[in-house]
Amino acid sequence: DAGVIQSPRHEVTEMGQEVTLRCKPISGHNSLFWYRQTMMRGLELLIYFNNNVPIDDSGMPEDRFSAKMPNASFSTLKIQPSEPRDSAVYFCASSPGQGRAEAFFGQGTRLTVV
Amino acid sequence: GQSLEQPSEVTAVEGAIVQINCTYQTSGFYGLSWYQQHDGGAPTFLSYNALDGLEETGRFSSFLSRSDSYGYLLLQELQMKDSASYFCASQNQAGTALIFGKGTTLSVSS
C-alpha cells in the first residue's frame, strides 16, 4: 500500500478563497482523522470519522471548516472562506481500528493564506 | 476533555540515554502512544502502552503508570538521526481518536 495520500502538498491561496484538501486513507482502515499543526498550537485534532461516519467534530474551529467522507477511500476538508490564520500544515491520518493504536499519517498539506 | 504535558525541549549527546516524560489528564483513557516527527515530515508511530509497564522496541522503550497518569519514552544509544520532535498521544473515551501533547524537541549533538 502507498500509505495515506494527501493532495495537494502545498497550497497558496488568497484570503476569502475556498480551499479543499484531499485525503486517501490506507485501504482497509476504519478510522480517519484530520489534524492541523502550527507552532503555537501543536497538533490539533479537527475531526475524525469511523466507518465513514463523523464521530467527533468538536475540534473544527469554525463553521468555515467542513469535512466529508463520502466513501471509505476518500475524504475532504474544506475551508470557505479562508483566512490568513488558517495557514498551517494539515495532516490526514488513518488507523486500522479494532483496538489497534497506531495511526498512519499522510505527508500533509502546507496551506498558506495570504 | 484531555490534556497531555511534556517538556518542550531536551538536549543530549550521541550515545547517551534520554527520557521524555508525559503526564496526562483525561476524562477517559485507553492507552498512551508515542510518535516521532522530523522537521518537514509526518508523525510516525513509535510505541503504544495500554497496560502498566515497559514496552521495548529496539533502542526505544515506553513506560506507562495508569495510577500516576504518567508515561515516558526512553531512547538509548542516541544517534544524530534521533534529533526530532516526540509526541505523546492518548486515545479518547471511544478508543479511537488520538489527542497529542505539544511535543518535545530532542536535539542530539556529537
Side-chain angles (χ1 to χ4, degrees), chain B residues 4-93:
Chain B
L4 299 99
E5 296 291 329
Q6 52 183 130
S8 58
E9 292 183 16
V10 174
T11 59
V13 296
E14 276 187 302
I17 299 173
V18 73
Q19 179 174 312
I20 300 174
N21 298 321
C22 175
T23 57
Y24 59 86
Q25 291 184 325
T26 63
S27 54
F29 180 78
Y30 275 60
L32 194 70
S33 302
W34 289 92
Y35 285 75
Q36 178 191 62
Q37 185 180 30
H38 286 99
D39 272 351
T44 57
F45 174 79
L46 290 177
S47 184
Y48 174 68
N49 295 73
L51 303 175
D52 285 1
L54 193 67
E55 292 284 339
E56 297 181 75
T57 310
R59 294 188 296 114
F60 295 176
S61 303
S62 59
F63 172 82
L64 177 65
S65 168
R66 284 174 168 266
S67 60
D68 296 321
S69 297
Y70 164 76
Y72 66 71
L73 179 69
L74 190 73
L75 300 89
Q76 304 182 72
E77 301 172 17
L78 281 173
Q79 303 174 11
M80 297 289 285
K81 67 178 181 178
D82 297 329
S83 293
S85 292
Y86 292 84
F87 296 85
C88 58
S90 67
Q91 290 178 283
N92 72 359
Q93 296 181 49

Side-chain angles (χ1 to χ4, degrees), chain A residues 1-5 24-30 72 94 104:
Chain A
D1 201 311
V4 176
I5 299 173
K24 177 177 168 40
I26 294 172
S27 176
H29 282 192
N30 294 332
S94 69
F104 298 81

Side-chain angles (χ1 to χ4, degrees), chain A residues 29-113:
Chain A
H29 282 192
N30 294 332
S31 299
L32 183 139
F33 316 99
W34 282 100
Y35 289 90
R36 177 173 68 177
Q37 187 173 35
T38 60
M39 288 294 293
M40 290 296 295
R41 302 175 70 90
L43 264 168
E44 301 174 273
L45 175 67
L46 300 178
I47 185 171
Y48 81 93
F49 296 84
N50 196 34
N51 293 321
N52 311 340
V53 176
I55 302 300
D56 183 359
D57 65 354
S58 59
M60 297 285 262
E62 299 172 33
D63 291 345
R64 299 184 296 106
F65 286 69
S66 63
K68 294 182 179 180
M69 191 165 186
N71 56 62
S73 59
F74 184 66
S75 177
T76 59
L77 178 68
K78 185 176 294 186
I79 308 172
Q80 166 64 19
S82 58
E83 296 182 4
R85 60 192 168 126
D86 302 330
S87 298
V89 180
Y90 291 80
F91 285 104
C92 173
S94 69
S95 175
Q98 286 117 24
R100 289 184 58 185
E102 62 264 45
F104 298 81
F105 282 74
Q107 288 304 303
T109 295
R110 182 172 295 277
L111 173 65
T112 303
V113 183

